[in-house]
Amino acid sequence: MGAPRRRSGGAGAPRIRTGAADLIPTDVGSDHRIAWLTARAEAADTRRHELGAQAALDPPQWALDALGPVPDGEHVVARQDWEHRAGWAVSYRELVGHTDADDPLGAAPGKGRVEHAALFRAAHEALNLVDAGAEEANLSDGRLRARVRAYERELAWAPRYVDDELNATHQRHAQASADAELWTARADATGITPEERTRLLADAATAREEAEGLAVQLEQLEVADAARAAWFVHTAVTRDNAERARAELKARGIDPDCPEGRVTAEQWLEAHRVEQADTETHRSIHQEHELHESAPLDDSTYVAQHDEVARAETAVLDLRDTSSVDETETEDPKQRHRIPDVDETAESVARAQESLAEIAARKAADAACAELDEADRAAAEEARRQELASWSAEAADSATGTVADASQDGQEHVLEL
């Protein structure tokens, strides 16, 4: 999962499309100065390529998060692209002295630092990170922190990430299956002594037994992997909001992971109670019917149905509160490519099943609320139709009465004559 992208420098900052030479002004004066600036730009590009190659040899965590694993030497084009993208970020980090192991670029440079802003934009476009938009700019610090916290709570019940373990198990299963077939074929070959045949058949049986056990683990790991994918899709909006909120907070100079300056729920509640006590003496008094004027007092069935949905949603402990982030979320990716033992696999499946149950419960609750909302809209439309029909009937009765009165007045006038 990539780190959030900061807002780039101003729209007036120059854009770097090919290299540092794009920063050279067009009206620099003498040819000597142009040559000097060109030589400096070439030196900067050479240094950027060197830093990208060094990053590929020992990739930092922020680069792995943003760009993924470094392609091996067989994939020349993909590796060069990885080095090219990482080079922009490493060169910018070196320029500004940014050393954070997880944060690729840090906060965006100020508007007055035009070259820094251009390099910053080139670096985080190369890393293809997320931008904070106008919506986040209009949110308060508290709302932004709430979005970050919302995803942290979702991450607490995430199924274990088993993709690397699944790959390692697949490879070992294929190897064990191939060994079993190979050793069985060798045991059936001519010219094999009885002792060697016995040993080969024993090795084949051991490999076959291992392959069967790994096949069971593969089925379980695939369940966990599918659950992880379902969770990833289910929390996509929350994750995107959190990444954008992080970007906006850091652009404001606020570290969302730093506990300093945070207001806890207890502190907020205490301040809220003090504010209520202070305004209670000035609060206007209303009759009970005024407080419920817009409520559908006679629609007890609809209210009871909504209460039932609310009870179904809160009848059990929230999984976000009872679970904790799996330790593999912060584990070194290099340590993930291994075959888990049977107990670890069972734990992964159990956690996956809990997550799938949570997703199913959420979808059922959302569907129930949507159904009730649809019923509410249908009832409101029906009431509106009846109201319009009543108005139409009243208008027709009024028109009929007017005509009758006019006719009676006409008859009386004739009699008078």
Side-chain angles (χ1 to χ4, degrees):
M1 176 173 56
R5 177 181 182 178
R6 283 67 174 158
R7 292 178 298 177
S8 300
R15 295 186 68 88
I16 300 177
R17 303 186 183 280
T18 57
D22 293 340
L23 295 175
I24 299 177
T26 56
D27 53 348
V28 295
S30 65
D31 293 340
H32 175 72
R33 184 166 178 78
I34 293 177
W36 183 82
L37 290 174
T38 302
R40 301 298 298 172
E42 291 175 354
D45 288 335
T46 300
R47 178 60 178 166
R48 173 167 56 85
H49 296 320
E50 293 175 351
L51 291 173
Q54 293 174 9
L57 294 176
D58 185 16
Q61 185 58 47
W62 60 262
L64 293 173
D65 291 339
L67 301 174
V70 181
D72 54 35
E74 297 179 357
H75 302 84
V76 179
V77 176
R79 186 181 181 89
Q80 288 179 348
D81 181 69
W82 195 100
E83 293 179 0
H84 171 76
R85 292 177 178 275
W88 281 111
V90 180
S91 59
Y92 175 79
R93 287 167 64 93
E94 185 180 65
L95 175 66
V96 299
H98 184 62
T99 58
D100 192 288
D102 299 315
D103 189 353
L105 304 176
K111 294 182 179 179
R113 305 167 70 186
V114 179
E115 291 81 4
H116 288 73
L119 290 169
F120 176 88
R121 177 158 52 184
H124 82 45
E125 284 180 356
L127 295 181
N128 195 27
L129 302 179
V130 180
D131 252 326
E135 178 186 0
E136 288 75 25
N138 293 328
L139 295 179
S140 65
D141 294 351
R143 291 287 299 276
L144 293 172
R145 286 185 180 274
R147 288 190 171 190
V148 174
R149 177 56 182 157
Y151 180 63
E152 290 175 352
R153 282 168 58 80
E154 298 288 51
L155 194 61
W157 60 277
R160 184 176 180 179
Y161 180 81
V162 298
D163 188 64
D164 293 326
E165 296 176 352
L166 189 60
N167 280 335
T169 306
H170 266 298
Q171 293 175 8
R172 183 54 196 161
H173 174 263
Q175 184 63 49
S177 300
D179 289 343
E181 294 180 3
L182 178 61
W183 290 332
T184 300
R186 286 184 178 178
D188 294 337
T190 58
I192 299 297
T193 64
E195 294 79 7
E196 189 173 2
R197 175 183 173 81
T198 302
R199 180 180 60 79
L200 288 171
L201 290 176
D203 292 341
T206 302
R208 191 174 296 106
E209 182 179 357
E210 180 185 6
E212 292 173 355
L214 291 173
V216 175
Q217 277 190 270
L218 283 174
E219 293 180 0
Q220 296 173 334
L221 289 173
E222 285 171 355
V223 170
D225 188 57
R228 176 75 179 201
W231 169 88
F232 194 82
V233 172
H234 182 75
T235 59
V237 174
T238 307
R239 178 173 53 260
D240 182 65
N241 287 340
E243 290 180 352
R244 293 176 181 272
R246 279 182 172 273
E248 180 63 27
L249 285 170
K250 290 199 172 185
R252 298 180 186 183
I254 301 173
D255 184 359
D257 298 318
C258 180
E260 296 181 4
R262 289 186 179 179
V263 177
T264 64
E266 292 75 13
Q267 292 171 335
W268 182 91
L269 183 59
E270 180 63 26
H272 178 64
R273 287 172 176 170
V274 171
E275 187 272 338
Q276 279 187 320
D278 182 59
T279 58
E280 189 66 31
T281 56
H282 310 290
R283 199 181 303 276
S284 58
I285 300 176
H286 298 276
Q287 297 296 326
E288 183 176 358
H289 71 276
E290 296 177 322
L291 300 176
H292 300 279
E293 183 176 359
S294 60
L297 299 179
D298 58 341
D299 197 0
S300 58
T301 302
Y302 177 74
V303 175
Q305 288 175 333
H306 272 282
D307 288 344
E308 183 65 28
V309 173
R311 284 196 298 271
E313 183 67 13
T314 59
V316 296
L317 293 176
D318 195 329
L319 186 60
R320 295 172 295 184
D321 296 326
T322 58
S323 299
S324 58
V325 178
D326 192 270
E327 59 183 10
T328 57
E329 295 292 341
T330 57
E331 189 179 16
D332 185 354
K334 296 180 181 178
Q335 306 298 324
R336 293 178 180 175
H337 194 77
R338 59 184 179 83
I339 301 175
D341 57 38
V342 177
D343 293 337
E344 287 178 331
T345 303
E347 291 176 3
S348 298
V349 172
R351 187 180 179 97
Q353 290 172 342
E354 291 181 354
S355 300
L356 290 174
E358 172 70 12
I359 294 174
R362 289 186 180 190
K363 289 182 177 180
D366 290 343
C369 287
E371 183 178 351
L372 292 177
D373 290 340
E374 181 62 28
D376 185 38
R377 285 192 294 270
E381 291 176 0
E382 179 62 27
R384 180 63 175 168
R385 283 194 294 269
Q386 292 179 0
E387 185 179 29
L388 293 175
S390 176
W391 289 352
S392 179
E394 290 177 0
D397 292 343
S398 177
T400 302
T402 301
V403 172
D405 292 341
S407 176
Q408 184 176 359
D409 291 342
Q411 292 175 359
E412 293 176 354
H413 181 68
V414 171
L415 291 175
E416 289 177 356
L417 294 175

